[in-house]
Amino acid sequence: MPRSRAPMEGTMSPSLPSPNANAESQFLGTRIRALRKRRGLTLTELAEQSKLTAGYISQLERNLAYPSIPALFNIARSLGVTIQWFFASEAPTSEADRGYVVRRNARTSLHYEDGITDELLSPQPLRQLEMLHSRFPPGTYSEESYSHEGEEAGYVLSGEFELWVGNRHFLLQEGDSFSFSSQEPHRYGNPGEKDALILWVITPPTF
C-alpha cells in the first residue's frame, strides 16, 4: 500500500516548503495568482472550477505550500493552460539553443508536495512531444487518479515505481518501461527505499 501521508487535494493542510526553498520553487504561487487575476477569477471561483478549496489555493499562491500533481493539473486546466506553463528556471537559454536544445543547467523545473520534482527536458515552445525527468523520493505517491488527453510513456531510470492505470496495477523496476492512454485514470508513486527517477514522454503536451 502507498506509504505517503500526503493529504487529499484541497481538504487538508498541504506540505510546506522548507525555509531554504529557492526562488525557482517560490515561482509557482506567483504564476498561479497572476494568471488567475488575468482570467478575472476570484479565489472562490477558481476553487469551484478546480474542485479544490479557496484556502488551499491561497496557500499555494502565497508560496506556503507545494501542490499535489492532480491539484496543479486541475488548476492549470481551470486556467486554460497546461502544467508546462508553470515550470520555472533562472538559467538563461542561448539564442542558438532556443527551441531546439535544453542544456542540463538550463532545465525548467516544478516542485510538488513531498519532494516530488519534474524537470522539463523538451524545448519550449510547445510541439507535439513533451519530455520530463521526474524524481520521486521514497514513499511518495500521487494519491489521486487523474486523466487528460493524449498518450504517455515512461522509462524507469533507477529505483522502483508503482503505477495504476484504470484497474490495472504494475510494480516496475529499474530498466522497465510503460505506455498508456492518458485518458485512462492513472496515478503512481515510489514504494522503494531510494529515489525513483523516471523519464516521461507525453504527446501531445497536455500535461
Side-chain angles (χ1 to χ4, degrees):
M1 293 293 292
R3 293 178 295 163
S4 170
R5 290 178 171 81
M8 297 293 287
E9 288 72 35
T11 59
M12 299 173 65
S13 298
S15 57
L16 299 177
S18 71
N20 297 322
N22 59 27
E24 232 173 74
S25 64
Q26 297 296 301
F27 179 80
L28 176 61
T30 302
R31 294 216 79 179
I32 293 174
R33 183 174 62 251
L35 185 57
R36 173 179 63 79
K37 290 184 175 181
R38 191 185 309 169
R39 297 285 192 260
L41 296 174
T42 65
L43 275 172
T44 300
E45 289 169 337
L46 178 57
E48 290 174 352
Q49 291 186 26
S50 59
K51 299 180 180 176
L52 301 168
T53 67
Y56 180 90
I57 296 175
S58 176
Q59 282 190 293
L60 298 179
E61 288 192 351
R62 289 180 291 144
N63 296 306
L64 297 177
Y66 295 123
S68 69
I69 297 172
L72 186 57
F73 181 81
N74 286 345
I75 290 171
R77 182 159 50 186
S78 298
L79 293 173
V81 297
T82 68
I83 284 183
Q84 188 176 137
W85 196 85
F86 296 110
F87 279 79
S89 175
E90 295 183 309
T93 299
S94 72
E95 191 62 38
D97 287 348
R98 188 167 291 119
Y100 291 89
V101 173
V102 177
R103 304 291 178 181
R104 183 171 184 172
N105 65 348
R107 293 176 186 170
T108 56
S109 63
L110 191 55
H111 299 252
Y112 303 98
E113 64 183 5
D114 294 337
I116 299 171
T117 59
D118 280 340
E119 292 183 323
L120 186 62
L121 303 182
S122 49
Q124 294 175 309
L126 297 176
R127 293 186 177 174
Q128 293 304 305
L129 286 175
E130 180 179 59
M131 188 161 59
L132 301 170
H133 179 279
S134 298
R135 179 184 299 273
F136 290 80
T140 56
Y141 282 79
S142 171
E143 296 281 2
E144 291 289 296
S145 295
Y146 64 105
S147 59
H148 50 95
E149 294 298 318
E151 297 182 6
E152 50 197 285
Y155 177 77
V156 183
L157 296 167
S158 65
E160 296 179 77
F161 193 60
E162 203 164 7
L163 173 67
W164 288 262
V165 181
N167 294 322
R168 295 177 176 270
H169 170 252
F170 307 94
L171 182 59
L172 305 169
Q173 307 291 333
E174 181 176 330
D176 292 340
S177 55
F178 55 89
S179 179
F180 57 89
S181 168
S182 305
Q183 296 181 47
E184 293 190 74
H186 50 282
R187 61 187 181 94
Y188 34 74
N190 176 10
E193 301 295 328
K194 65 177 185 177
D195 286 358
L197 302 179
I198 313 298
L199 178 67
W200 296 88
V201 176
I202 303 171
T203 182
T206 52
F207 182 76

